[in-house]
Amino acid sequence: MSVENSGALEGDKGLSNRHVQLIAIGGTIGTGLFMGAGDSIHFAGPAILLTYAVIGLMMFVVMRAIGEMLYADPTQHTFIAFMSKYLGKKTGSFASWSYWLTVAFMGMAELTAIGKYVQFWFPSWPAWLIQIVILVILTSVNLIAVALYGEAEFWFAMIKIVAILSLIATGIIMLLTGFKTSQGTVSVSNLFSHFSLMPNGAGNFINSFQMVMFAFVGMEFIGMTAAETKDARKVLPKAINQIPFRILFFYLGALATIMVIYPWQQIPANQSPFVAVFKLAGINWAAALVNFVVLTSAASALNSVIFSASRNFYSLAVESKSPILKRFTKMSSHKLPANAVLITALLIACSAIIAVLPQISDAFTFVTSASTDLFIMIYVLTLVTYWQYRKSNDYLKDGFLMVAPKFFVPVAIIGFVLIYLTLFFNQSAMVPAIGATIWLIGFTIVQAFKKA
């Protein structure tokens, strides 16, 4: 995307460092931790901490690559725009459409989850109606002002952070007092008892990578906020350096606490370990507590999805020669891409249709898995783009530079490719992986026959 076009969104720079920090945290910490931690621990045991650390560092490499490019050219309102600039328009087109679709699908999954969470308290309310109401509210927030969006996301994310810190604090108190539960005494030995890198076999250990990878997707949302910060070059380095480590702290801290309180061999799969832990601590209303947390987590993630995906679609519309897409370049009185927000919300609203289908749980799994597959493709393209940027005349030698890129970038790319390949050996992720591969091949074939 050209600098001239990208400047269209510069009218309302209402995001501060705290907004940017919480947008990324809000887009990352969600159901992958609160609801998926039980499966992750079941697959890999305490070794899941190593898996989170490794993938977290890979994501940090991606974040630093995005940060370095945005620091050099903060006028770009999406890091995807750099792909068109350094890898060609066809590659940029693939990345842009893939990113918009995969983030919108993630929004559909979150909205579907919201319907289920609200029904926990109001089982007679139809899920489709709940979804429409929530979507209208969050879309309205995104249409009013960037600052209001950032403020809403700030408080959404704060609820998650307080919940995780409460869990960690509870675990520390139980550990120091030698608290005894129905599962035994709370002790660090619960974490290391019968430790094995692959306690449930190599296959299950490999399967854990897909689940952990899904838990991290969305961290790059910070790249969509760069042009709408008050001082991009001041905010970006601080935000990018802090976010990955804060997220790792929340993930590793929460998981370690869970396994200290609850022997990892007994942690039930397919349900939230947060519920089990709070119940062991004597909080019988833990189910309602965790349901409230995951509800706000899903709303937070959906809020970030609408913001991020709408900016990506706006970029697509600006670059397109189609008169139909040109309609979506219209800006509101608040200097926001109103039509792009609305079309994104309309796609996400399809989840209300899915809500009446009997296979909704399968659809949810499929959509989230497919999103993860496409995210991996985009992360690899981001690192390839970064490498081309370093070779270009735009390379800013005194900018926000990545440490040892010649080592970390190739290692991260290899890591992402290996994770993608493992999806074909994971029964629940195989079909989405095949579908994502077909999307890549099909899009490439179509683009090959198009004129440049």
Side-chain angles (χ1 to χ4, degrees), residues 57-101:
L57 290 175
M58 288 166 54
M59 288 301 300
F60 184 50
V61 174
V62 174
M63 293 292 290
R64 284 299 298 257
I66 292 173
E68 184 173 334
M69 291 187 290
L70 286 172
Y71 188 92
D73 185 4
T75 61
Q76 301 289 2
H77 71 270
T78 164
F79 71 93
I80 299 287
F82 291 106
M83 296 183 191
S84 295
K85 184 175 183 179
Y86 298 113
L87 299 183
K89 291 185 177 180
K90 292 183 178 181
T91 302
S93 179
F94 169 78
S96 294
W97 281 109
S98 296
Y99 195 82
W100 181 66
L101 286 174

Side-chain angles (χ1 to χ4, degrees), residues 403-424:
V403 178
K406 292 183 179 180
F407 172 78
F408 287 112
V409 171
V411 168
I413 291 175
I414 293 172
F416 284 124
V417 171
L418 290 176
I419 292 174
Y420 189 86
L421 292 177
T422 64
L423 301 178
F424 292 93

Side-chain angles (χ1 to χ4, degrees), residues 387-415:
W387 206 250
Q388 291 302 114
Y389 153 75
R390 286 181 59 87
K391 298 177 181 178
S392 73
N393 294 328
D394 300 325
Y395 177 57
L396 195 61
K397 295 182 179 179
D398 58 347
F400 178 46
L401 303 180
M402 184 190 301
V403 178
K406 292 183 179 180
F407 172 78
F408 287 112
V409 171
V411 168
I413 291 175
I414 293 172

Side-chain angles (χ1 to χ4, degrees), residues 31 108-110 112-113 359-369:
T31 53
M108 291 170 61
E110 298 294 349
T112 300
Q359 293 82 17
I360 184 62
S361 59
D362 293 337
F364 178 84
T365 300
F366 179 86
V367 170
T368 53
S369 296

Side-chain angles (χ1 to χ4, degrees), residues 114-450:
I114 288 173
K116 296 297 181 182
Y117 297 149
V118 173
Q119 283 183 324
F120 177 87
W121 291 295
F122 306 101
S124 62
W125 290 11
W128 66 267
L129 180 60
I130 296 170
Q131 293 177 29
I132 293 298
V133 171
I134 295 296
L135 184 60
V136 168
I137 292 173
L138 293 182
T139 301
S140 299
V141 167
N142 276 269
L143 286 172
I144 295 174
V146 169
L148 179 58
Y149 157 76
E151 202 63 33
E153 185 59 25
F154 178 85
W155 291 108
F156 274 143
M158 279 299 295
I159 293 174
K160 305 180 193 181
I161 293 171
V162 169
I164 295 173
L165 292 179
S166 297
L167 172 73
I168 295 174
T170 299
I172 292 174
I173 293 172
M174 294 172 73
L175 179 63
L176 294 178
T177 58
F179 193 92
K180 292 184 178 181
T181 71
S182 59
Q183 300 297 322
T185 303
V186 175
S187 172
V188 176
S189 63
N190 290 335
L191 181 61
F192 297 103
S193 178
H194 304 292
F195 178 83
S196 172
L197 184 62
M198 301 179 185
N200 297 305
N204 280 326
F205 181 72
I206 291 174
N207 286 345
S208 71
F209 277 75
Q210 187 273 333
M211 301 182 68
V212 176
M213 187 71 237
F214 176 71
F216 277 102
V217 298
M219 188 188 292
E220 78 292 337
F221 281 1
I222 185 176
M224 298 299 185
T225 66
E228 297 180 66
T229 58
K230 295 173 182 177
D231 189 345
R233 285 190 169 176
K234 180 179 179 181
V235 169
L236 270 174
K238 183 177 180 181
I240 287 178
N241 282 334
Q242 291 177 352
I243 285 172
F245 295 106
R246 288 185 177 183
I247 289 176
L248 278 175
F249 167 76
F250 290 128
Y251 277 133
L252 298 182
L255 291 172
T257 300
I258 288 170
M259 288 184 280
V260 165
I261 297 173
Y262 209 129
W264 61 269
Q265 297 93 337
Q266 279 80 49
I267 292 177
N270 301 319
Q271 58 180 284
S272 174
F274 279 72
V275 175
V277 166
F278 281 120
K279 282 184 176 179
L280 285 178
I283 305 176
N284 295 324
W285 39 271
L289 172 66
V290 173
N291 193 73
F292 173 74
V293 172
V294 296
L295 171 60
T296 56
S297 293
S300 169
L302 179 57
N303 199 31
S304 290
V305 160
I306 296 173
F307 180 94
S308 178
S310 61
R311 269 58 181 176
N312 189 232
F313 192 84
Y314 173 84
S315 177
L316 284 168
V318 169
E319 291 294 326
S320 175
K321 298 178 182 179
S322 170
I324 296 177
L325 287 180
K326 287 298 181 183
R327 298 175 183 176
F328 297 99
T329 60
K330 180 182 178 181
M331 305 296 289
S332 69
S333 58
H334 296 284
K335 303 298 181 183
L336 297 172
N339 287 346
V341 170
L342 292 174
I343 190 64
T344 299
L346 185 61
L347 176 59
I348 295 173
C350 292
S351 64
I353 300 175
I354 299 175
V356 301
L357 299 177
Q359 293 82 17
I360 184 62
S361 59
D362 293 337
F364 178 84
T365 300
F366 179 86
V367 170
T368 53
S369 296
S371 293
T372 303
D373 300 335
L374 291 174
F375 268 122
I376 291 176
M377 292 183 184
I378 291 168
Y379 294 152
V380 171
L381 283 176
T382 299
L383 293 176
V384 174
T385 300
Y386 167 74
W387 206 250
Q388 291 302 114
Y389 153 75
R390 286 181 59 87
K391 298 177 181 178
S392 73
N393 294 328
D394 300 325
Y395 177 57
L396 195 61
K397 295 182 179 179
D398 58 347
F400 178 46
L401 303 180
M402 184 190 301
V403 178
K406 292 183 179 180
F407 172 78
F408 287 112
V409 171
V411 168
I413 291 175
I414 293 172
F416 284 124
V417 171
L418 290 176
I419 292 174
Y420 189 86
L421 292 177
T422 64
L423 301 178
F424 292 93
F425 300 94
N426 185 328
Q427 186 175 356
S428 61
M430 183 184 300
V431 173
I434 293 173
T437 304
I438 292 174
W439 163 258
L440 170 63
I441 296 173
F443 198 100
T444 301
I445 292 174
V446 171
Q447 289 291 84
F449 287 96
K450 288 181 63 176

